Amino acid sequence: MRTPPDTLPLELTPGAGPLSEGPEGRPTSPVLELVICTYNNAAMLAGALAAIAAQRVSEAQAWGVLVVNNNCTDHTVAVVTQAQQTGNIPQLRMVTETRQGLTPARLCGVQHTTAPWIAFVDDDCFLQPDWVAHALEFAAQHPTCGAFGGRVTLAWETPPPAYVLNFTYAFAEQELGPEAKPVSWLVGAGMVINRAALVAVGWTERQLLADRVGKQLVSGGDMEIALRLAAHYELWYTPHCQLLHQIPRQRTHDDYLLKINYGLGGSQLFVSSLQWGRSYPAWVWASLREAWRQTAYYGKRWLKAAIAQESTREATISLCFWWGYWVGIWRLFTLNPQKRQQLLGSAKPPC
């Protein structure tokens, strides 16, 4: 494991100090808190909370749930209130974050929880009944890791066209095998984070990348967290923490795939910048070369399909990704020099 940047604060170290106890000696201070950031997705949030309510966890294990209401105008409040009234989810709370976007919503979630382990669970993710139990067990077995995540399986509302299955990365699919193992990155859905590590790498003080601002399909905030942690701590994958990522029918349409890939392309440029360890001019040259190489490749595929009178859908979607990457190069070029300097190499492992 890489050397952490600082010693973990004692009060945040997993397992440090006894849990407070409630009636009959049951612990009340949560070891794990699930943070669900939501924006106008009440119907699916209700399903996510129902899956959480069905968790099979020992009464001796303390955990809780925090919903971050990111300016919802639908019936999100009613959904959470109803879930609270059933009493099936321990320590279910809701707070409001008025700054729009997934990054400030996640920060709000971190600031309003105290558990040593924080799990980011999206409002369209349905946890399997043993997810929390496995997460608590894995955290106890790997107290010094920076974060861990599990198997993310796509649950299609309707079977998608075959070509859509070539773009499952756009839906945060994560299938890394049948065995637990260290990994170099994790998707945001279901990522369980060591609070002390997150504080030590400075994310709670400064976030660099935006993520899902309203209906904008920008991303990269989850990768920023994972890579900044990975620069100093181990990341782990455990197949026993399984969740279903719900994919509505409209997300399999071409217009959505074009938009999400365009956003992912721009995000990829910025995410790659986090790990760049050389000068900015060298990064400009390297990124331009990669953008040109990939654009030429998919451009040839598009032209070949068009000449053969075959579908150009896949090549067009891929070209959208790399068009977003080109735009990302320009955005980085026009970025405030001080912010650009903060971004470049911020997730590069120390020598």
Side-chain angles (χ1 to χ4, degrees):
M1 185 179 72
R2 301 185 183 99
T3 302
D6 295 296
T7 301
L8 300 185
L10 178 61
E11 66 273 15
L12 294 176
T13 303
L19 295 175
S20 60
E21 294 185 349
E24 300 179 7
R26 294 175 183 172
T28 58
S29 297
V31 175
L32 170 69
E33 292 187 79
L34 280 55
V35 172
I36 307 175
C37 302
T38 187
Y39 173 66
N40 287 348
N41 197 20
M44 208 162 279
L45 174 64
L49 291 175
I52 292 173
Q55 293 296 301
R56 298 190 294 264
V57 187
S58 167
E59 291 186 356
Q61 296 177 299
W63 59 288
V65 179
L66 176 69
V67 175
V68 180
N69 180 339
N70 198 197
N71 300 312
C72 296
T73 57
D74 60 2
H75 56 289
T76 289
V77 174
V79 166
V80 177
T81 300
Q82 183 177 9
Q84 289 173 324
Q85 291 173 345
T86 64
N88 294 327
I89 300 177
Q91 304 188 46
L92 172 59
R93 301 175 292 125
M94 182 172 65
V95 296
T96 298
E97 173 53 63
T98 58
R99 293 172 298 168
Q100 197 65 55
L102 187 52
T103 294
R106 282 174 170 161
L107 177 62
C108 175
V110 171
Q111 293 173 333
H112 284 83
T113 56
T114 59
W117 293 93
I118 308 161
F120 289 140
V121 178
D122 295 342
D123 57 15
D124 55 4
C125 290
F126 294 4
L127 304 182
Q128 294 298 288
D130 55 0
W131 193 95
V132 169
H134 281 305
L136 287 166
E137 180 182 7
F138 195 88
Q141 294 172 349
H142 300 78
T144 60
C145 77
F148 62 89
R151 180 177 285 135
V152 179
T153 302
L154 305 184
W156 308 96
E157 180 181 9
T158 57
Y163 71 90
V164 173
L165 299 179
N166 294 323
F167 299 98
T168 54
Y169 61 81
F171 304 107
E173 182 180 49
Q174 185 163 263
E175 172 53 76
L176 303 178
E179 302 294 334
K181 59 184 177 182
V183 293
S184 58
W185 63 277
L186 292 165
V187 300
M191 180 162 54
V192 185
I193 297 170
N194 182 328
R195 176 189 293 275
L198 192 65
V199 171
V201 300
W203 183 87
T204 55
E205 296 297 325
R206 185 180 68 204
Q207 308 82 47
L208 301 172
L209 298 183
D211 206 332
R212 291 296 193 278
V213 182
K215 296 298 182 182
Q216 300 178 42
L217 297 179
V218 295
S219 61
D222 52 354
M223 285 300 295
E224 177 196 345
I225 293 172
L227 292 177
R228 287 177 69 174
L229 287 170
H232 302 283
Y233 299 88
E234 282 189 333
L235 303 184
W236 277 79
Y237 165 78
T238 170
H240 300 299
C241 287
Q242 302 182 56
L243 64 83
L244 299 179
H245 188 194
Q246 309 298 312
I247 311 298
R249 182 188 303 106
Q250 63 268 25
R251 292 190 188 177
T252 63
H253 295 169
D254 285 0
D255 58 346
Y256 180 85
L257 287 169
L258 291 169
K259 290 177 183 178
I260 188 66
N261 273 274
Y262 173 81
L264 288 171
S267 301
Q268 180 61 49
L269 184 281
F270 278 82
V271 167
S272 298
S273 301
L274 298 174
Q275 295 182 297
W276 184 254
R278 296 165 59 191
S279 68
Y280 172 61
W283 174 235
V284 171
W285 171 246
S287 57
L288 285 172
R289 183 175 55 190
E290 179 66 8
W292 174 252
R293 185 177 71 87
Q294 296 289 351
T295 302
Y297 173 76
Y298 286 106
K300 290 177 182 178
R301 285 188 57 180
W302 186 96
L303 186 60
K304 183 178 179 180
I307 291 174
Q309 296 185 334
E310 298 174 350
S311 174
T312 59
R313 283 175 166 174
E314 287 187 50
T316 300
I317 293 170
S318 296
L319 282 171
C320 260
F321 180 97
W322 290 102
W323 173 241
Y325 192 91
W326 280 104
V327 174
I329 295 173
W330 174 251
R331 287 174 53 209
L332 187 64
F333 176 75
T334 58
L335 194 65
N336 176 284
Q338 182 178 2
K339 291 184 178 179
R340 186 170 61 220
Q341 187 62 35
Q342 291 175 347
L343 182 72
L344 289 172
S346 59
K348 183 181 180 296
C351 297

